[in-house]
Amino acid sequence: MKTEKEKMLAGEIYSAKDRQLLEELAATREIIFDYNQLRPSQMDEKREMLKNLLGYIGDDEIIINQPFYCDYGKQIHVGKRFFANFNLTILDEAPVSIGDDCFIGPNVGIYTACHSTDPIERNSRKEWAKPVNIGNNVWIGGGVTILPGVTIGDNVTIGAGAVVVNDIPSGSIAAGNPCKVIKRQ
């Protein structure tokens, strides 16, 4: 029989009240708290903490400006030369894969957790998750929200304030709510 964590990572319905998951969330929040308290000049300490927190980092050229928030950390994989500005939030109940040479503006949210629209089901704390995949050479503008299950291709720009609810093909400039391709490169 699968654990609730195994169900979560498989994209199946799981209990968000599971003790193991709650303990992992609490442990990650402790690490995130410490990360967010580091001084801007403590670049080596920041990189080391991120290496231990995240599931994969492409190289040492990673910058995530504080504050930064995530749920588990280990489901987040970032490629080489990654930069994220202030207030990045990643809810990584499912894998979040971000390619090489990606830039993320301030106040961006990347979400994998899904909840029922039925209030009775939602209040049971049963949920599921869908992965988010972001290709190489992607620029995500400030205030963008990326919803569960979305894939953003390579060489894409997402305009500030967009709400990405569907896949965005490679070589696109996309913006709006809902986010739509407005130009092909």
Side-chain angles (χ1 to χ4, degrees):
M1 186 168 180
K2 289 184 179 179
T3 66
E4 297 304 305
K5 182 174 182 176
E6 290 169 334
K7 292 177 192 176
M8 178 183 81
L9 294 174
E12 299 171 9
I13 295 173
Y14 67 94
S15 173
K17 298 186 292 187
D18 178 70
R19 182 183 187 122
Q20 176 189 4
L21 294 177
L22 293 173
E23 288 172 0
E24 287 185 29
L25 284 168
T28 301
R29 287 193 173 96
E30 292 291 328
I31 296 167
I32 291 294
F33 178 86
D34 292 342
Y35 178 81
N36 287 331
Q37 302 308 308
L38 291 174
R39 300 187 61 77
S41 60
Q42 294 179 283
M43 295 302 290
D44 290 340
E45 291 88 342
K46 286 189 214 178
R47 282 188 201 99
E48 195 59 35
M49 287 185 84
L50 290 171
K51 284 180 183 178
N52 292 324
L53 175 65
L54 304 182
Y56 175 81
I57 294 175
D59 64 20
D60 284 343
E61 292 185 52
I62 177 174
I63 296 172
I64 300 179
N65 284 333
Q66 302 125 303
F68 165 62
Y69 304 99
C70 66
D71 275 344
Y72 296 95
K74 292 300 180 192
Q75 282 77 251
I76 301 170
H77 295 209
V78 298
K80 299 175 184 174
R81 298 170 299 278
F82 177 72
F83 173 82
N85 217 321
F86 307 106
N87 211 34
L88 173 62
T89 299
I90 302 177
L91 304 185
D92 61 313
E93 280 69 18
V96 174
S97 176
I98 302 171
D100 296 339
D101 298 299
C102 289
F103 298 90
I104 297 181
N107 302 310
V108 168
I110 301 172
Y111 309 132
T112 66
C114 302
H115 307 278
S116 176
T117 57
D118 178 271
I120 294 170
E121 287 179 20
R122 186 171 54 245
N123 289 338
S124 73
R125 303 301 191 261
K126 295 284 186 181
E127 56 188 60
W128 65 99
K130 296 179 183 178
V132 170
N133 295 294
I134 299 170
N136 297 314
N137 302 308
V138 174
W139 177 22
I140 298 171
V144 168
T145 300
I146 300 172
L147 296 183
V150 166
T151 295
I152 297 172
D154 296 332
N155 306 308
V156 170
T157 299
I158 305 291
V163 179
V164 186
V165 299
N166 294 306
D167 294 351
I168 304 296
S170 294
S172 299
I173 298 173
N177 180 3
C179 188
K180 295 180 181 168
V181 174
I182 57 174
K183 182 179 177 184
R184 297 296 303 232
Q185 298 180 15

